[in-house]
Amino acid sequence: MITRSEPKKTAFVSGSGRNIGRAIVLEMASRGYNVVVNGSSDQDSCEAVAEEARSHGVGAQVAMGNVGQPDNIRQIGETIFQKFDRIDILVNNAGILFPTRVEEISEEEWDLVMNVNLKGPFFLLQSALDHFIQNKYGKVIFTSSITGTSVSASGHAHYAATKSGLLGLVKTAAVELSQYNCLLYTSPSP
């Protein structure tokens, strides 16, 4: 009897060219997941992370793009599906912080932080939904923060607002998507 092996699951990690995102990619690769590495500007760093991931015997692809811009999210999705034809785990890790006091936050800075930290994760989730619903499977992790929910710090007003917003997004989306076997998590980081 011939058995067909199940294709490897694929994980996309935003903001994964260094630091926490890099560690997440390498952990996923060590567990046998194909991985998609993302960054907005440093392609060399993303390529290096992808090469490290390949040493675990998995497929690894770089998908450059700013997750705070919807056009970039569409291009990232196309890259994922051209290479692996699936997405099983979405890790919303990209985030930015400018330590700016409330009275000094410009509209431009406010929008930039909102776009990367809150709008981007929402549209990344939305871009994967058809695949999750069709396959009745998906896991989504949002790197959140204790800032905005438990503690506050001077200069973090816009950052705290986005991280609190992620928690509301996760709670609502988890209720709506549970019928499709989609699990959503938040993972606090400092």
Side-chain angles (χ1 to χ4, degrees):
M1 180 168 130
I2 298 173
T3 59
R4 194 172 132 212
S5 64
E6 178 96 8
K8 287 184 181 177
K9 289 192 163 109
T10 299
F12 169 79
V13 184
S14 69
S16 50
R18 57 191 170 99
N19 301 330
I20 294 171
R22 175 185 171 272
I24 295 169
V25 164
L26 296 179
E27 179 64 24
M28 296 296 233
S30 75
R31 293 174 182 244
Y33 290 90
N34 290 323
V35 292
V36 180
V37 181
N38 164 258
S40 62
S41 59
D42 187 354
Q43 183 153 359
D44 290 342
S45 157
C46 290
E47 294 288 354
V49 173
E51 192 58 37
E52 282 184 87
R54 288 183 197 105
S55 73
H56 292 283
V58 300
Q61 177 69 36
V62 171
M64 296 301 292
N66 180 340
V67 298
Q69 298 177 359
D71 285 346
N72 285 199
I73 291 172
R74 282 188 284 282
Q75 292 170 347
I76 290 166
E78 289 171 12
T79 300
I80 294 168
F81 284 96
Q82 284 173 357
K83 176 69 175 178
F84 299 115
D85 197 36
R86 64 184 298 142
I87 184 168
D88 303 284
I89 299 176
L90 170 62
V91 182
N92 287 289
N93 175 66
I96 57 173
L97 165 65
F98 302 105
T100 308
R101 295 180 56 82
V102 170
E103 67 271 16
E104 297 169 357
I105 296 173
S106 67
E107 182 177 1
E108 179 182 50
E109 184 175 309
W110 179 269
D111 289 345
L112 181 60
V113 174
M114 291 294 150
N115 287 347
V116 173
N117 293 4
L118 185 57
K119 186 176 178 181
F122 169 74
F123 284 113
L124 281 168
L125 169 62
Q126 201 174 52
S127 72
L129 281 183
D130 285 345
H131 189 74
F132 289 164
I133 291 168
Q134 177 184 342
N135 292 294
K136 298 219 181 281
Y137 181 86
K139 292 185 180 176
V140 185
I141 301 165
F142 296 85
T143 303
S144 186
S145 175
I146 59 173
T147 302
T149 58
S150 303
V151 298
S152 60
S154 179
H156 289 187
H158 42 10
Y159 179 79
T162 62
K163 295 305 182 175
S164 295
L166 280 179
L167 296 177
L169 169 61
V170 168
K171 289 177 185 177
T172 303
V175 170
E176 291 181 15
L177 300 176
S178 63
Q179 64 184 313
Y180 304 111
N181 195 29
C182 290
L183 303 174
L184 287 85
Y185 309 90
T186 57
S187 172
S189 69

